[in-house]
Amino acid sequence: MADTLKLEIVTPEAVIYSEDVDMVTLPASEGDAGIYPNHVPLMTKVHAGQLIAKKDGSEEILAVGEGFAEITGDHVAILTDNAIGSDDIDETVAEEAKAKAQKRLDEGGDISREEANALAQAILYSEAQIKAKRHRRELLLFRFGCKKRVENNFAGVIGIKRKLKHHRFLLQRVRSIGVEV
């Protein structure tokens, strides 16, 4: 009885992800699907969205485009047109791509059905990238003990550094009076 799943995410260009994980949450056609080891065999459509791979107590967040997933007891294979890890996402580029596709879709004119579908998928994939990047940023802020949602700017970074420095100072003070923490 396996206690991990082999998660593979493949695009036409490359294998984007291939790791053993504890659990996968993927954007399936019926909604977000949580896949654990020994899952019943399943074939499902994957929508553009955020995929979360849990491994050793941490989460890896990826944005995936439309595709298909084949799930067996110990393996999840996702074939998709696009996929990217949240570390590699440039939020500004994703927002610009979304705005560009939305503008072209709004203009209409001599747009074919295929082009309209492609633009709609580009918008959904861009939104998935933005959501994945923001989710990752919020996880990192939470891990550092920052409960307030801070946008990724200079003031936010300085605030986190000050808070960590203050926590270290308090920890040293507590230890100096003989209390073991």
Side-chain angles (χ1 to χ4, degrees):
M1 197 163 173
D3 53 344
T4 62
L5 291 163
K6 178 72 168 186
L7 172 61
E8 294 184 302
I9 302 172
V10 181
T11 68
E13 291 82 31
V15 174
I16 302 300
Y17 191 91
S18 181
E19 298 276 337
D20 287 330
V21 298
D22 300 325
M23 188 249 186
V24 178
T25 303
L26 58 93
S29 58
E30 301 83 23
D32 285 350
I35 311 298
Y36 288 92
N38 302 309
H39 194 282
V40 64
L42 173 69
M43 184 81 153
T44 187
K45 184 175 181 179
V46 174
H47 290 288
Q50 177 177 244
L51 181 140
I52 301 171
K54 293 187 179 184
K55 179 179 178 180
D56 300 327
S58 66
E59 293 183 353
E60 294 184 53
I61 304 163
L62 297 100
V64 295
E66 194 171 71
F68 292 94
E70 179 187 30
I71 299 155
T72 62
D74 62 351
H75 189 253
V76 177
I78 299 174
L79 305 173
T80 181
D81 53 355
N82 297 307
I84 187 170
S86 60
D87 292 344
D88 301 324
I89 296 171
D90 184 335
E91 196 172 346
T92 305
V93 171
E95 287 173 348
E96 288 170 358
K98 177 184 172 189
K100 184 178 177 182
Q102 187 66 54
K103 181 180 177 188
R104 176 68 179 116
L105 197 57
D106 291 343
E107 288 173 354
D110 61 342
I111 190 170
S112 68
R113 177 178 223 131
E114 292 81 22
E115 186 179 1
N117 286 338
L119 289 169
Q121 284 305 312
I123 291 168
L124 291 172
Y125 181 62
S126 295
E127 288 173 346
Q129 288 184 61
I130 294 164
K131 185 177 178 182
K133 187 66 171 191
R134 289 179 180 166
H135 185 167
R136 181 178 185 279
R137 183 170 50 237
E138 288 172 359
L139 277 176
L140 290 173
L141 290 172
F142 181 75
R143 284 185 193 143
F144 287 118
C146 182
K147 302 215 189 276
K148 181 180 169 189
R149 185 168 183 230
V150 179
E151 293 301 320
N152 189 17
N153 59 30
F154 185 74
V157 171
I158 296 300
I160 291 170
K161 286 182 179 178
R162 286 183 184 149
K163 192 168 193 171
L164 287 173
K165 186 176 180 181
H166 180 68
H167 285 287
R168 284 189 202 115
F169 171 76
L170 291 176
L171 188 59
Q172 287 174 346
R173 293 280 309 256
V174 168
R175 285 182 179 154
S176 72
I177 60 172
V179 177
E180 189 60 40
V181 180

